[in-house]
Amino acid sequence: MKKYSLNVNGTDYACIEDGAGPLLLLMHGTTGGKQLMLPQVEALSASFRCVAFDWPGHAESGFNPAGWTADDLVEDVATIITLLGEKQAILAGVSQGGAIGMRVALKYPDRVRALVNMCGGPGGPPPAALEKLDQFTKIMAEGNECERREAAITFSKGYLHAPDFAERDPQRFENEIGVLLSHSRKSVQMLFNVPRSYVDITPRLGEIKCPTLVIWAPYDSRPALGEQMAAATPGAKLVTIANAGHHVNVDAPEETTAAIKAFTSTLS
């Protein structure tokens, strides 16, 4: 597996890559990191050129101290495809990754061969949720290490996973806590500016023309949204992963990867 950095429109993106074949970009969610996509990279690299990266301000990537928005990330993903020497990519994203993937498919339809959206909504979080997320990131930026770890555990259990995930898979849960704690204190309070910047694309879902798979989870905070999005997206397929939450690929990596494999096997 290769590790490298790409300078993308002035920001250094930390990347991992494995495999050969059609390009498959694996994009994590807000507060996540490329490490959380490793099960998919490892399983899918037999058929695809798998590239996962840290979004700006996350883990090993750089960031613009003036901030960045969803529109910036859309441009970055299009640039990444070009920098990797490809004309198209399959975009597979969790949460923010799925939300950005949809927007790339709308703005640059010729660049997106197919789309896998894992619990990525078309609009931003409601104001009450953003207020709680701001409180969380303030602790992550300013708290001592005990306070930061406690906040990371509470956030991960409360927002990202099925209720029994931490007990069912303590090592995977601990890995995610490590990712949460790895983000720069300077950038962490800026991470939710991206979902805050989303313009709701619900009215435009019918314009997505590429093959689309929507992977959803019953313990996502919006359990019915996946079905609604799949119904609004032409030809989209829906797979619901049992006993999983918002970070569905972390809760159920084998089942999620199997769904992606089945979907991509149908692509011409």
Side-chain angles (χ1 to χ4, degrees), residues 76-88:
D76 285 358
V77 170
T79 300
I80 286 170
I81 295 170
T82 299
L83 290 174
L84 292 173
E86 305 285 354
K87 294 182 178 180
Q88 282 190 320

Side-chain angles (χ1 to χ4, degrees), residues 229-250:
M229 291 174 60
T233 305
K237 300 177 181 179
L238 173 68
V239 173
T240 301
I241 305 294
N243 197 28
H246 188 58
H247 278 186
V248 59
N249 68 309
V250 180

Side-chain angles (χ1 to χ4, degrees), residues 1 16 18 24 26-28 33-48 50-53 92 94 118 161 165 169 171-173 175-176 179 247-261:
M1 188 174 298
I16 54 175
D18 201 12
L24 172 60
L26 292 153
M27 306 181 293
H28 67 82
K34 63 184 182 300
Q35 180 181 334
L36 301 182
M37 311 304 294
L38 277 175
Q40 286 70 52
V41 172
E42 293 168 353
L44 297 168
S45 59
S47 302
F48 296 97
C50 295
V51 177
F53 53 78
V94 182
M118 296 171 265
H161 298 295
F165 174 69
D169 199 333
Q171 185 58 60
R172 198 176 298 278
F173 179 76
N175 288 344
E176 182 163 60
V179 171
H247 278 186
V248 59
N249 68 309
V250 180
D251 274 17
E254 293 84 6
E255 295 87 342
T256 300
T257 302
I260 297 173
K261 278 186 176 179

